[in-house]
Every structure is written in structure tokens, then in C-alpha cells.
Amino acid sequence: MSAQMLRTQTRQLLQKQHKQLYWHPLQHTRRLNSAVAPETTKLFINGEYVESQSDQWIDVHNPATQEVVTRVPKATAKELEEAAHSAQLAFGSWRRTSVLTRQRKMLDLQQAIRDNMEKLAASIVSEQGKVLSDAKGDVMRGLQVVEDMASITHHLQGQRLEVSADMDTYTVREPLGVVAGICPFNFPAMIPLWMFPVALATGNTCLLKPSERDPGAAMILAQLCKDVGFPAGVLNIVHGSHNTVDFLTSDPRVRAVSFVGGDRAGKYIYERATQHGKRCQANLGAKNHAVVMPDANKEHALNAIAGAAFGAAGQRCMALSVAVFVGDSGAWISDIAERAKQLRVNGGFEPDADLGPMISPEALSRAEHLVQSAIDEGATVVLDGRGISVPKYPSGNFLGPTVIDHATPRMQCYQQEIFGPVLTCLRVDTLDQAVELINANRYGNGASIFTRSGACARKFESSVEAGQVGINVPIPVPLPMFSFTGNKGSFLGDTNFYGRSGANFYTQLKTITSLWRKQDAEDRLAAVHMPTIH
């Protein structure tokens, strides 16, 4: 079989799976055509799909076509109350399940996710716009968190010490109760999987709010939880915008709130949740830098930076949005632009696509405005992706890879998170200047260096102020046996997502001191004399 025939058959298979997905009775994201109204996305309360009685709905558009894929309700006050009540009731029994039972559910869930990888990925492509391979990566990175939660027995181990004769002090971790997760649009599967599996594995129940822009993957995950036997009420999914967020951050039954998203929403959620006495962890914006030293492996560095800057249309909180070229490496900027030109912009289901559309026309317009601001402020746009033509998808929110050179730290394109396929390049003379530049930035999610020098790498890792550092690695997001450790303006809270930190966030320590005297267990002969009172 020729390569062309193989590609054609693969495309036909994906299109068939895509069509099956939309018309599956348990799926909530059907394609709109001229004669059929879009299917509504349901709430998931007490183990059942519930049609919302709301009179306020949000249309979810396919970013490549502008077709309305589904309509998402703004849950009513009564529906939010029902979800919280269901989670509270379920907590009473779920917290008493053995850790081995919860571990078994994680093992079952990870297998179910693997079995439904294509369905989840297709939903992400249709609602969020990622190319299919990147959508599968979205699911896979979330799946790894579920797999790590299969080792929850390790994460929940306490400490024990005999502090005096016959006296022991030991700690146990106990669940908090009902917790909430508020998710962004850019990772419809991964971020929910950062949240509810960790919450459930540690014995909590969860109210999850997916992004109103792409809820389909979360709804599939809810069905998988039901399929593998999670009890009703352990996971509830509610939809909406401001009113739903306000409920989750103020209701007294909710003990903790997890959030991933932008600065404005994140600061609001963190302040509101903490003012109501809740724990809160909030991942916010980012401006991740890659330092390119003159001694770097040129091919590796440029390929890595191009992929990390433009993949997922730049809509990643760990995207490499800034490249800092040290000394002579500045001559390589034109080479990055040439590599970026070769990336293919297309609809996510197209087999040749490297990056798809941005999430919305508003996001596209904002990114284009920031590119124009760079020109207005004196930078050079080496590669301009604005106005790119994608013939099959003329209505899509497409921005081609864009490379800005000769930027300065005072420019808007540097100060603001563009969240699009735009690489901003700055030039400095020394590594010290590069580190000083990074440390002056208000964000602290991640930073990378490309070099062949172990000494430079050591200096960089010890002096740079970023929570996640890559050495010849473009996107240094830790695997779940560690934790996601963004800092500075990229994170609010004191306990990070997933891994041991995630388990700690969703649990509280109880310290117990017990005294059992050994002599009380000594065998004694039966006494036969008349007892007397002394």
C-alpha cells in the first residue's frame, strides 16, 4: 500500500469515528447542520445526566468552522444546590471506602480513558481546535495523573514516632470533604484530570466546572467514571460562568477550590475562595523564556523552540513565548522563522495539520493586536502569520506562526501573555543579562536554557527565578510523580497541583498521640482472696 493510500484511509477512519462520536447517545457534542438544532450539554448530578432548566445558554463553536457544536447551560441556583447536596451526601460514604478500593477505581479509570482515547481526542478537536495528535497528548498527560493516583497508597502514608516509653505520635491524612475544580479552555481533558482524580483518590467528592467553551471531554470523563463504578454523587459536573464560579467559591460545603486559567479570573477566584475560608490553588498566566547560548546544539534548540512556541497554536500555559538569544546566537532567529514557515496550519482533523485555530475570534483579534503593537513600538516582525489563508476553513480563527525580533522588555508583546502562536525574540550579550531579564518578569511558570556547557546549565538552574526549569528541554512540565510548580505571578496558593503536593492539597493532617502501657498486658495469676478496698 502506498503512503498516499494509507493517509487517505486514515483520514476516512478518523472522519467515521468523528461522526460516530457526535451521534453517540451518551455524547453531548453533536454537529450542527442546517436542519437540526445543536444538542445541549447536560449537567451531571448524582450520577445522572440532567437537562438544565436554565433560560441562559452559551453556544460552543468549532474554532475551525464556526459551527455551533453544542449549547452549554448556565446552571440555575437550584441545580447548583442539588449538585452540592449530592456531593455532600456522597462524601459520608466515599470517605469511608478503603484506600485500596479507591486505588482500584483509579486503575479502572485509567484503562477506560485509554480505551476511549479517540473519542476524547475527537471531542477536543471539535470544540477546542487542537490538531488530533496534540489532542491525544492532552488526554495522555491527564491520564498520567490518573496512573499516578493508582499509587495513592504511597501519597497518603503518614509518619510515626515513639516519643516516650509506650507513647506513640503518628499522623494520618484525611479528606477535606466537597472540593471544586474550575477549568480553562486550553486543556479540556488534562486539567480536569489534574483535579478530580486526585480529589477522589484522596477520599473527597468533587464539583467540577469545565470551561464553557469546550465541555465535551469532561462529560465523556464523567461517563467513564460512571461506567467503572464510581458511586453516584462522588463526581458532579456543573456548567456556567460567573454565577457558577461565585457559588463554588462561596458555598460553605465546598472546602477547597482548584483553578487554572488567566490572571483576572484567577485572582478573583483566589481572593473570593480564601475570603470564604477555603483552600485555593490557582495557576495563572505565564511568560516562559528560552535562553539560547551560542554553544547550543543549533538544530535541536531551534526545532525544540519552534515546536514549543507554535504547537497548540501557542495556547499553553507552558508555551515558550519568549526566546532570549545570547551573543552570536541571535543570527539564528531567521532560521527559526524558516522552520516556522514549514509548519502547516489547518483544521485539526486534517492529517497534515501541525497547528489548528485559536479558540475564538476574540482571542485571534487580541493576538493580532499585540503583533501590531510590536511593529508600532519598533520591533521587527520576521514572520507575520496574520491573515493566513486556510482554504478549506475560511471562517476559522487562524493565526499562522509569527516571529517578532528586536523586542524589548517594555513592549506590550513582551509584557502581556499573547496566548497565540507568536514567538517574541530578545537579544542580550551575556547569560547574566538573560537571567536578569527573566527574573525581572512578573511570571514564574517555566524557563529553559539550550547549551552544551554544564557550567552554564548549573548557573542557570540555580539563579533563574522560575518554578520549572528545562535544560535542553523546551517545555519542562514535570510528570505526575513530581508536581506542577509554577511560582511568582503564575501561581497563587501554597500547595501545587498533582503528585504528592496535589494529595496534600486535598487532605488535612491529623496528629494522634497514644499511650498503651506494656505492663498492662502482663499475665497475672487469678486472685482468690477476698477483695478489699484500699
Side-chain angles (χ1 to χ4, degrees):
M1 181 183 297
S2 69
Q4 180 62 39
M5 291 177 61
L6 181 60
R7 285 193 294 269
T8 299
Q9 289 187 2
T10 300
R11 180 185 297 186
Q12 291 172 344
L13 175 61
L14 290 174
Q15 290 173 340
K16 179 180 179 181
Q17 291 171 336
H18 183 209
K19 183 176 180 180
Q20 290 172 342
L21 166 70
Y22 280 122
W23 293 98
H24 192 282
L26 296 180
Q27 175 59 299
H28 305 278
T29 52
R30 296 183 181 176
R31 181 181 296 276
L32 176 69
N33 61 40
S34 58
V36 181
E39 179 76 7
T40 58
T41 293
K42 309 301 186 288
L43 304 165
F44 186 72
I45 299 175
N46 201 36
E48 300 295 334
Y49 289 109
V50 177
E51 183 72 58
S52 177
Q53 299 306 303
S54 177
D55 59 1
Q56 298 182 65
W57 295 79
I58 303 167
D59 288 343
V60 174
H61 295 267
N62 182 319
T65 65
Q66 306 309 324
E67 291 176 318
V68 178
V69 177
T70 184
R71 303 185 73 221
V72 179
K74 294 184 178 181
T76 67
K78 180 180 178 182
E79 291 162 350
L80 293 171
E81 169 63 30
E82 290 173 351
H85 181 64
S86 171
Q88 185 181 39
L89 287 180
F91 176 65
S93 56
W94 181 246
R95 69 174 302 177
R96 292 192 294 272
T97 59
S98 72
V99 67
L100 295 180
T101 297
R102 300 198 300 270
Q103 180 187 46
R104 179 70 258 172
K105 292 301 180 190
M106 292 298 125
L107 291 168
D108 294 341
L109 180 58
Q110 66 85 25
Q111 185 59 54
I113 293 171
R114 286 186 180 277
D115 292 343
N116 288 271
M117 180 75 70
E118 295 287 346
K119 182 185 293 187
L120 284 159
S123 172
I124 293 169
V125 175
S126 300
E127 294 183 353
Q128 200 275 345
K130 291 184 180 182
V131 301
L132 188 63
S133 59
D134 195 39
K136 290 180 181 178
D138 185 331
V139 180
M140 181 58 69
R141 289 307 298 262
L143 173 61
Q144 290 169 342
V145 175
V146 182
E147 291 173 335
D148 183 64
M149 284 301 103
S151 64
I152 190 61
T153 49
H154 171 71
H155 291 311
L156 292 182
Q157 289 178 2
Q159 296 176 308
R160 188 183 189 104
L161 179 67
E162 186 175 4
V163 296
S164 184
D166 298 333
M167 181 178 288
D168 300 305
T169 297
Y170 55 96
T171 61
V172 295
R173 289 204 163 270
E174 296 186 333
L176 300 177
V178 180
V179 299
I182 302 172
C183 305
F185 75 84
N186 57 325
F187 285 98
M190 184 184 79
I191 300 300
L193 291 171
W194 278 16
M195 297 177 182
F196 80 80
V198 186
L200 271 53
T202 49
N204 301 278
T205 56
C206 185
L207 298 171
L208 186 75
K209 191 197 93 63
S211 171
E212 63 276 14
R213 296 177 178 180
D214 46 19
M219 300 307 296
I220 297 172
L221 292 171
Q223 180 64 47
L224 298 183
C225 286
K226 183 176 181 178
D227 291 346
V228 302
F230 279 91
V234 167
L235 174 65
N236 295 271
I237 296 185
V238 293
H239 303 292
S241 53
H242 300 293
N243 289 344
T244 303
V245 167
D246 285 349
F247 177 86
L248 296 176
T249 51
S250 64
D251 189 89
R253 289 163 291 194
V254 176
R255 297 288 308 280
V257 177
S258 299
F259 169 80
V260 176
D263 286 0
R264 183 178 178 183
K267 291 175 182 177
Y268 175 83
I269 288 167
Y270 182 82
E271 290 172 3
R272 184 176 172 87
T274 54
Q275 286 170 1
H276 284 86
K278 307 179 191 308
R279 287 187 184 180
C280 188
Q281 54 179 187
N283 274 4
L284 309 181
K287 202 73 176 178
N288 306 303
H289 296 65
V291 174
V292 183
M293 299 300 293
D295 70 339
N297 180 320
K298 180 180 177 181
E299 293 302 311
H300 169 70
L302 299 188
N303 288 334
I305 291 171
F310 307 122
Q315 298 174 123
R316 295 170 174 156
C317 61
M318 283 295 289
L320 273 182
S321 54
V322 179
V324 183
F325 290 86
V326 178
D328 294 340
S329 68
W332 300 351
I333 293 175
S334 59
D335 295 304
I336 282 191
E338 287 301 317
R339 281 168 169 75
K341 286 181 183 178
Q342 306 307 314
L343 297 175
R344 293 157 296 190
V345 181
N346 213 333
F349 284 108
E350 302 302 325
D352 65 341
D354 294 310
L355 62 151
M358 297 183 67
I359 187 66
S360 69
E362 295 76 17
L364 172 63
S365 177
R366 179 180 178 275
E368 291 177 334
H369 169 76
L370 287 169
V371 173
Q372 183 60 46
S373 76
I375 298 172
D376 296 341
E377 293 176 331
T380 302
V381 176
V382 180
L383 178 63
D384 193 340
R386 294 175 295 174
I388 188 171
S389 175
V390 183
K392 192 173 179 179
Y393 301 93
S395 300
N397 310 317
F398 292 103
L399 176 62
T402 299
V403 179
I404 300 171
D405 191 10
H406 299 294
T408 69
R410 294 186 178 183
M411 292 180 178
Q412 292 184 60
C413 64
Y414 178 80
Q415 288 290 330
Q416 298 188 37
E417 184 179 27
I418 299 175
F419 223 58
V422 180
L423 179 66
T424 303
C425 300
L426 292 86
R427 300 172 185 238
V428 297
D429 295 326
T430 66
L431 176 58
D432 287 338
Q433 291 175 337
V435 171
E436 182 180 358
L437 177 74
I438 297 170
N439 292 349
N441 191 276
R442 69 182 184 275
Y443 292 119
N445 245 6
S448 296
I449 186 170
F450 291 88
T451 180
R452 285 188 172 100
S453 168
C456 287
R458 177 68 72 182
K459 181 176 183 178
F460 181 79
E461 71 173 63
S462 63
S463 59
V464 73
E465 295 173 3
Q468 296 159 127
V469 177
I471 299 173
N472 298 317
V473 174
I475 305 180
V477 178
L479 289 169
M481 64 283 296
F482 297 93
S483 298
F484 191 97
T485 54
N487 61 26
K488 293 168 62 177
S490 294
F491 181 71
L492 290 174
D494 57 8
T495 309
N496 299 103
F497 283 86
Y498 64 76
R500 177 63 62 88
S501 290
N504 290 349
F505 177 78
Y506 289 117
T507 57
Q508 56 192 355
L509 272 177
K510 178 181 284 185
T511 304
I512 303 160
T513 300
S514 67
L515 174 64
W516 295 103
R517 299 183 185 278
K518 287 191 291 287
Q519 60 265 34
D520 293 343
E522 293 178 358
D523 293 333
R524 297 177 182 273
L525 295 175
V528 296
H529 59 272
M530 177 68 70
T532 58
I533 299 176
H534 297 283

